[in-house]
């Protein structure tokens, strides 16, 4: 019975894959090119050595998915409205601050909030949204590769004030508005972001669609064991927060963006 319960969300994703294939119309959305390159990850290899990744070129959404974007998604894909068909993939906190299943609230009263990054969205729903927009969730190394940039350099992690600058952004609930080296915005700040392989960051054999697999380390102390540079406090917090989540859970501190393959 437990095996069936774990397998059911996967079957749901497969059954509805054609339903998600229709591209969501969001003309204002901008995807920017990220060139290929090499990444030395903050995550250490199992033997403690540096993890080096060759990143293939891809396109990344310039901003996080907004409340207005996600409203359009659930209105055209009612399966993902709160309390509708995807209840097993939503969790209790899914869009809990929305006044209605298909929208945040009164259009005039909530106009300013509709431009903010959407939160309270499960990993399943974020994944479905990206499919509907013709993309996918980024994997961790793709996200980390772009996040290493500042406004002037593709990898600014060597700069003396890099870590402190990130810590200074943690109270910014809207995230940093300025674009980085690639023109991509909101990579740092008070909001974490879903990535495709988030549950595999500390458990390489874990399947993020199956909450029963893998050994998640959901504390900052546990995160430090897997880090090459344990002084990178903001990344430790980010990975620890993500790895402690189940894919049907939602949080007011987690948003997402999509990528596309060229």
């Amino acid at each position: 019975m437990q095996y069936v319960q774990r397998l059911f969300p996967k079957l749901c994703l497969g059954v509805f894959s054609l339903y998600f294939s229709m591209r969501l119309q969001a003309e204002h959305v901008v995807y920017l090119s990220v060139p290929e390159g090499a990444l030395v990850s903050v995550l250490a290899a199992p033997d403690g050595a540096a993890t080096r990744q060759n990143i293939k070129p891809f396109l990344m959404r310039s901003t996080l998915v907004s409340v207005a974007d996600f409203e359009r998604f659930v209105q055209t894909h009612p399966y993902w409205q709160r309390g509708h068909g995807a209840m097993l993939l939503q969790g209790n906190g899914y869009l809990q601050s929305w006044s209605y299943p298909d929208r945040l609230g009164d259009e005039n009263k909530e106009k300013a909030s509709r431009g903010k990054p959407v939160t309270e969205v499960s990993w399943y729903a974020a994944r479905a949204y990206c499919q509907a927009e013709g993309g996918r969730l980024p994997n961790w190394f793709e996200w980390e590769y772009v996040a290493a940039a500042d406004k002037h350099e593709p990898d600014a992690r060597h700069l003396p004030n890099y870590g402190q600058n990130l810590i200074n952004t943690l109270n910014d609930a809207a995230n940093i508005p300025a674009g980085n080296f690639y023109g991509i915005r909101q990579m740092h700040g008070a909001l974490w972001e879903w990535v495709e392989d988030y549950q595999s960051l500390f458990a390489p054999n874990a399947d993020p669609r199956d909450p029963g697999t893998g050994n998640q380390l959901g504390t900052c102390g546990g995160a430090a064991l897997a880090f090459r540079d344990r002084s990178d406090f903001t990344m430790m917090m980010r990975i620890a927060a993500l790895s402690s989540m189940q894919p049907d859970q939602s949080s007011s501190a987690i948003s997402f963006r999509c990528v596309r393959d060229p």
Side-chain angles (χ1 to χ4, degrees):
M1 184 63 182
Q2 290 181 344
Y3 173 78
V4 173
Q5 290 175 337
R6 291 197 301 267
L7 183 62
F8 189 73
K10 298 182 186 180
L11 294 175
C12 287
L13 288 177
V15 168
F16 287 94
S17 60
L18 292 177
Y19 184 64
F20 300 145
S21 64
M22 181 179 64
R23 179 168 294 192
L24 190 67
Q25 297 301 313
E27 291 81 2
H28 67 286
V29 172
V30 176
Y31 279 79
L32 297 175
S33 296
V34 178
E36 65 181 350
L39 170 71
V40 179
S41 176
V42 297
L43 292 174
D47 61 358
T51 299
R52 301 180 185 276
Q53 292 288 317
N54 293 320
I55 307 298
K56 296 180 180 179
F58 61 96
L59 305 173
M60 178 172 272
R61 213 177 193 273
S62 62
T63 59
L64 294 168
V65 173
S66 70
V67 171
D69 294 331
F70 205 77
E71 282 182 331
R72 282 189 289 271
F73 170 66
V74 298
Q75 288 164 9
T76 56
H77 298 71
Y79 178 78
W80 290 100
Q81 293 176 13
R82 186 183 67 233
H84 282 226
M87 291 182 67
L88 285 176
L89 311 180
Q90 293 178 2
N92 294 330
Y94 184 75
L95 302 178
Q96 62 180 355
S97 64
W98 287 26
S99 299
Y100 305 96
D102 65 342
R103 65 187 189 279
L104 178 64
D106 180 82
E107 185 173 353
N108 293 324
K109 291 182 180 179
E110 304 291 349
K111 186 175 181 179
S113 297
R114 283 185 162 82
K116 295 179 179 179
V118 70
T119 59
E120 301 173 352
V121 172
S122 69
W123 177 87
Y124 291 121
R127 198 167 186 257
Y129 176 96
C130 289
Q131 286 182 307
E133 200 173 85
R136 56 178 174 82
L137 284 174
N139 64 51
W140 169 258
F141 292 123
E142 289 172 331
W143 187 93
E144 185 185 354
Y145 179 69
V146 177
D150 68 1
K151 190 173 182 179
H152 305 288
E153 298 189 37
D155 190 345
R157 294 175 297 177
H158 64 283
L159 298 177
N161 294 327
Y162 179 80
Q164 185 59 50
N165 289 339
L166 295 189
I167 291 174
N168 293 341
T169 70
L170 292 177
N171 291 325
D172 182 2
N175 287 6
I176 302 303
N180 66 9
F181 179 82
Y182 305 105
I184 295 171
R185 301 163 52 191
Q186 301 171 314
M187 293 297 293
H188 298 284
L191 296 179
W192 312 147
E193 296 183 37
W194 286 120
V195 293
E196 174 69 23
D197 52 351
Y198 81 97
Q199 274 193 333
S200 300
L201 298 180
F202 297 143
N205 296 321
D207 183 343
R209 294 165 296 180
D210 186 348
T213 61
N215 179 23
Q216 299 170 38
L217 302 179
T219 65
C220 285
L225 298 176
F227 265 75
R228 180 177 52 82
D229 180 3
R230 299 180 187 180
S231 66
D232 199 337
F233 178 69
T234 57
M235 280 294 189
M236 288 170 61
M237 287 181 59
R238 180 179 295 273
I239 294 181
L242 284 177
S243 66
S244 67
M245 297 290 290
Q246 300 295 341
D248 64 336
Q249 291 180 320
S250 306
S251 169
S252 60
I254 298 180
S255 187
F256 70 99
R257 74 179 72 231
C258 312
V259 298
R260 290 173 181 167
D261 296 313

